[in-house]
Amino acid sequence: MDEAAERHNAKMKKIKEARDRMMAGKTGEKGLIVVHTGKGKGKSSSAFGMVMRCVGWGIPAAVVQFVKGDWETGEKRVIEDRFPEVRLFVAGEGFTWETQDRDRDIAAARRGWEIAKEQIRDTRNGFVLLDEINIALRYDYLDIDEVVRFLLEEKPDMTHVVLTGRNAKPELIEAADLVTEMDLVKHPFRDGIKAQKGVEF
């Protein structure tokens, strides 16, 4: 073994020892409150990837979509066609600039929140995705204090809940166990490219 390989092996051994020591203290388990936010793409995509992980592990999951309405998406098609064990609820009626009716948007968000609470309380679900709920919270269609209180006080201990959408409110970020902010670096929309099937929907 040459000198570079020996140095590499010694470094990796030290890293492994440090990692093993760190992991030895990580024994707790709990249902997580997870927030995907930020201006970049990938918030819902990542969350739906987590739904697929649940399917792989046989963990029952539910999805409540707050904004996208009857817009046909790849994730909706694959869940409805191939994964009947994942319950999908479409609560929104489309993007707010499409509906242009605040009262209707509030009513749709409230319906979605009632469904969300039912799915989170249902202990058969190990995972519940609240897709684009942050949009409803951003426009105050839902009361942030009510949502945070419910998550902290009524969510079953081992149920994971993921909340997606840009502009997550500080109260939600504070309550969450895991928060990821997707940063926008570059987007083809700026060059006149519309949303692409299979990439963005």
Side-chain angles (χ1 to χ4, degrees), residues 187-197 200:
H187 198 297
F189 189 76
R190 293 173 175 170
D191 295 323
I193 306 300
K194 67 179 183 178
Q196 297 297 294
K197 187 182 293 185
E200 295 178 282

Side-chain angles (χ1 to χ4, degrees), residues 38-96:
K39 294 181 180 178
K41 290 291 182 183
K43 298 176 287 293
S44 293
S45 302
S46 176
F48 277 102
M50 295 168 82
V51 171
M52 292 301 100
R53 283 180 173 167
C54 289
V55 169
W57 286 109
I59 299 170
V63 176
V64 183
Q65 290 192 301
F66 277 83
V67 172
K68 288 170 182 167
D70 58 3
W71 188 27
E72 193 66 19
T73 63
E75 58 267 22
K76 181 179 174 187
R77 292 180 73 168
V78 75
I79 286 172
E80 290 178 344
D81 294 348
R82 301 181 189 176
F83 297 105
E85 65 268 45
V86 178
R87 285 175 277 179
L88 175 67
F89 303 89
V90 178
E93 295 186 13
F95 292 102
T96 53

Side-chain angles (χ1 to χ4, degrees), residues 10-43:
K11 180 179 178 182
M12 291 303 111
K13 182 179 178 184
K14 286 181 181 178
I15 290 173
K16 181 177 178 355
E17 288 170 354
R19 185 99 181 137
D20 288 347
R21 282 193 303 273
M22 181 184 71
M23 294 304 293
K26 311 294 183 196
T27 57
E29 288 191 54
K30 67 176 285 192
L32 302 176
I33 300 171
V34 180
V35 175
H36 293 175
T37 192
K39 294 181 180 178
K41 290 291 182 183
K43 298 176 287 293

